[in-house]
Amino acid sequence: MKSVRFNGLLASTALVLLLAAHPGMAQQTDQQKIDAAVPVPDTSLPPPPTVKDIEPAPAAPAAIETKPAEPAQNAAAPVVEPPKAEPVQNAATPAAEPPKAAPTVTADSAVTDKLREFVTGKQLDRIVSRKAERTAVEAFYNARNYAPLWVANADASTRAKSAIGYLGQAETVGLDSADYPTPDFKAGMTPEALAEAELKLTAAALTFARHAQAGRIHFTRVSADIAFTPVAPEPADVLKQLAANDDAGKTLDGFNPPMAEFKALKAKLAELRKTGGQIAKPEEKKVEQVHVPEGKILRPGMKDERVIALRKRLDIPGDKTSTLYDDKVRDAVKAFQLAADIGVDGNLGRNTVNVLNGAPKSAENRASHNAIDTVIVNMERWRWYPRDLGNPHVVVNIPNYSLTLWNNDKIYWQTKIVVGKPNKATPLISAEMKFITVNPTWNVPPSIIENEYLPALREDPNALDRIGLKVEQNQDGTLRVYQPPGAANALGRIRFNFPNKFLVYQHDTPDKHLFAKEERAYSHGCMRVQNPFTYGEKLLSLALPNENYSEARIEKMLGSN
């Protein structure tokens, strides 16, 4: 079958700055060359002639008119007029350049200078601790010629105010605003202080974006039964998005998970904080305070005279004189346990009886969690998942023992499942369903062989034969324990495969009776599906809509043996 893919895409674009020479620069250079090529005439005059220096005058240039000299009075000899200097060619003389004015220093340009010092110096290491983010910050400000992102007119810009306001209420999305300290822009700050505030706000925004998208805590600190590949945003991409518009709060909010489940948790978190963390409970009816006697634990299907008192105490509709602990009684007891914030199992145990009769809740049965903390933990968990879960996609709800197939953001189909035992938990993963196997062979995982079957074989060499398991020795000396296909196979007649390191699947099961139980934690980690052939039809109808798969067609593939 074709794959039902869960793909995520993180796109990043590079910003290229192109510089070109201004045409005026070329014109000025050419003019200087012209001026340098024009000779400047000598305008100095010779000293007055003496008698001994008088000689016949040279002919004057034709282009220059000379005025005849007037005869000197009482002169014995004619006086020769000295040659006149050539007139200055004003058009060819370069004009004197006016003195250049000193560059104007503004408050923001002073911040730019300080930013350059901080980013290219050692101060940046103190403000931005992660190397990848420092590299992005250096490249970002260098491309802007160190123009500030958050400072305008020696104060916080509109963009800065939006970012500070959003980071200050990070608790609304399940994070802690203390993790994203923002600077306090005050009047009269020096350029150095503004440059430092600029970089501190940049660092806070980068940290928030990383936490919002990939999580504040790595899942390996929580459990070994979790495996995800959270993808943190590229710091350069975060800075580019922040620079693109002034609504930095909206930009930062976009790094949170987009799923409807996360948004529902966010709304529930706000609701709980308004009520002091208390879950709103429906108003209880005032009923006669009936004492419920103590005794053995009562479970569904049992009969006991105390059930009559229990029916009256909880005002259960129907025959108040019936001694049968039926489904209505169980549901009423569960509702009471939930409202009383004690262990919810639907059974009438000692602690439930005590609370029914007005005693305080015992410490060991009191809910061990805070509702607000529970919501925050689940919001963090959603940050580990891929942003694109695929369409269609399947969600397994482990504590609810259910499987839901989603298509086009709507529930397409649901069924019950059996999940792993508490000590063999179903892992938290996100994987791609690759194929479906009909008549699967169960290859027993090494952990089960080591922990369960080898001890059984030491006790009884025929123990595995009795449950239909075969044993082979591999070439490397290890054992292969497997169960051939068939109706008794632990995986049933059909298996849904999504490769993962835990070797768990979704599959059929021969133990159908387990689906009648309310708590269904019985497997070694796999998910047993109540209606596997219907599940196969639903999956294939979405993945291969033109192949006309049906339950009957899939069951025909089983064969007769």
Side-chain angles (χ1 to χ4, degrees):
M1 60 168 286
K2 295 183 180 178
S3 300
V4 184
R5 304 191 64 85
F6 301 164
N7 295 329
L9 178 64
L10 179 63
S12 177
T13 54
L15 178 63
V16 180
L17 182 63
L18 179 63
L19 300 179
H22 192 281
M25 296 171 63
Q27 294 175 3
Q28 182 180 2
T29 302
D30 293 341
Q31 184 63 49
Q32 290 173 348
K33 290 179 180 179
I34 293 171
D35 292 343
V38 177
V40 180
D42 185 5
T43 56
S44 60
L45 296 176
T50 60
V51 173
K52 67 180 180 178
D53 294 329
I54 297 176
E55 293 179 355
I64 302 176
E65 293 185 4
T66 57
K67 186 177 180 181
E70 295 182 359
Q73 297 180 357
N74 304 323
V79 178
V80 180
E81 184 175 340
K84 294 182 178 180
E86 295 182 4
V88 178
Q89 302 277 339
N90 292 334
T93 304
E97 294 185 4
K100 293 183 179 179
T104 303
V105 179
T106 64
D108 287 354
S109 65
V111 175
T112 295
D113 292 340
K114 285 297 179 183
L115 264 179
R116 182 181 286 104
E117 291 181 20
F118 277 36
V119 173
T120 58
K122 296 294 184 183
Q123 294 94 327
L124 186 62
D125 294 356
R126 174 175 54 85
I127 299 173
V128 183
S129 59
R130 296 170 69 91
K131 183 177 179 181
E133 293 178 357
R134 280 201 306 274
T135 301
V137 169
E138 291 170 359
F140 175 74
Y141 282 103
N142 180 58
R144 295 168 59 87
N145 200 22
Y146 302 96
L149 176 67
W150 309 107
V151 175
N153 301 320
D155 198 359
S157 65
T158 301
R159 181 185 293 117
K161 293 174 182 176
S162 174
I164 291 171
Y166 182 80
L167 294 174
Q169 55 177 6
E171 284 77 8
T172 61
V173 290
L175 297 174
D176 188 348
S177 57
D179 291 336
Y180 322 107
T182 56
D184 184 12
F185 286 89
K186 298 179 181 179
M189 292 176 70
T190 64
E192 182 175 3
L194 286 169
E196 184 171 0
E198 165 84 17
L199 292 177
K200 284 183 177 179
L201 187 50
T202 296
L206 288 174
T207 302
F208 176 87
R210 175 165 39 86
H211 287 178
Q213 181 162 310
R216 185 174 54 175
I217 299 173
H218 199 270
F219 59 83
T220 53
R221 295 174 57 188
V222 178
S223 172
D225 295 320
I226 304 175
F228 292 102
T229 53
V231 179
E234 290 293 334
D237 186 53
V238 176
L239 294 172
K240 179 184 175 183
Q241 291 187 47
L242 289 169
N245 64 77
D246 287 342
D247 194 348
K250 182 178 180 181
T251 301
L252 291 172
D253 191 59
F255 291 100
N256 286 303
M259 298 86 158
E261 293 90 342
F262 180 86
K263 294 176 181 177
L265 287 168
K266 178 182 175 182
K268 175 58 68 174
L269 182 61
E271 176 188 320
L272 288 172
R273 284 189 168 134
K274 286 181 180 178
T275 61
Q278 298 298 314
I279 299 176
K281 302 180 180 67
E283 186 177 350
E284 295 183 5
K285 297 179 181 179
K286 292 183 179 180
V287 296
E288 178 187 356
Q289 188 67 32
V290 177
H291 180 79
V292 179
E294 294 183 5
K296 63 183 180 180
I297 296 177
L298 296 182
R299 297 181 174 89
M302 297 175 66
K303 288 187 176 183
D304 193 286
E305 292 295 326
R306 293 186 298 143
V307 175
I308 297 174
L310 184 60
R311 288 179 180 275
K312 293 179 179 179
R313 169 65 179 84
L314 296 178
D315 193 24
I316 300 172
D319 184 4
K320 294 284 195 298
T321 64
S322 172
T323 60
L324 177 63
Y325 200 104
D326 57 17
D327 289 345
K328 289 183 179 179
V329 176
R330 178 203 61 196
D331 292 343
V333 170
K334 287 183 67 175
F336 174 81
Q337 291 169 333
L338 180 63
D341 202 17
I342 57 178
V344 179
D345 59 8
N347 300 328
L348 187 68
R350 182 181 62 181
N351 188 61
T352 302
V353 171
N354 290 339
V355 177
L356 279 166
N357 293 331
K361 295 175 286 187
S362 61
E364 65 270 17
N365 285 293
R366 190 175 296 119
S368 60
H369 61 265
N370 175 281
I372 290 178
D373 290 343
T374 300
V375 172
I376 291 174
V377 164
N378 280 280
M379 293 176 79
E380 177 75 1
R381 196 177 283 167
W382 272 104
R383 302 184 195 279
W384 302 336
Y385 282 85
R387 287 297 181 267
D388 181 8
L389 295 178
N391 185 44
H393 68 267
V394 175
V395 173
V396 165
N397 188 326
I398 297 172
N400 194 37
Y401 310 106
S402 67
L403 177 153
T404 303
L405 173 59
W406 289 79
N407 187 49
N408 295 329
D409 297 325
K410 295 180 180 179
I411 294 177
Y412 189 78
W413 183 75
Q414 284 182 303
T415 191
K416 291 180 179 180
I417 60 172
V418 171
V419 301
K421 302 173 185 177
N423 62 335
K424 298 179 177 67
T426 295
L428 296 180
I429 59 174
S430 176
E432 180 184 349
M433 187 176 289
K434 296 282 190 179
F435 54 94
I436 297 173
T437 303
V438 173
N439 289 329
T441 295
W442 181 39
N443 292 297
V444 182
S447 60
I448 299 178
I449 295 175
E450 181 179 354
N451 298 326
E452 298 183 29
Y453 291 162
L454 285 181
L457 282 172
R458 293 189 189 103
E459 298 262 337
D460 179 2
N462 299 316
L464 299 188
D465 287 337
R466 284 199 297 272
I467 57 176
L469 295 177
K470 307 296 182 183
V471 181
E472 291 181 352
Q473 187 169 14
N474 298 317
Q475 291 182 352
D476 60 359
T478 59
L479 289 179
R480 179 199 177 203
V481 179
Y482 68 96
Q483 188 178 29
N489 188 285
L491 303 182
R493 305 304 296 266
I494 187 169
R495 181 180 65 196
F496 306 88
N497 308 279
F498 37 91
N500 60 89
K501 72 173 188 177
F502 300 102
L503 302 178
V504 297
Y505 320 97
Q506 294 166 356
H507 60 80
D508 183 19
T509 177
D511 297 324
K512 305 292 187 182
H513 65 280
L514 294 178
F515 294 107
K517 296 181 176 292
E518 192 151 345
E519 295 182 0
R520 298 185 292 277
Y522 294 100
S523 80
H524 287 82
C526 286
M527 293 137 275
R528 306 175 188 176
V529 182
Q530 182 180 26
N531 301 298
F533 292 103
T534 307
Y535 184 34
E537 176 189 312
K538 297 297 182 182
L539 284 175
L540 293 169
S541 69
L542 296 174
L544 302 172
N546 298 323
E547 298 294 328
N548 299 317
Y549 276 99
S550 65
E551 289 187 51
R553 180 181 174 187
I554 297 172
E555 289 180 356
K556 278 185 178 180
M557 298 169 69
L558 300 178
S560 59
N561 55 29

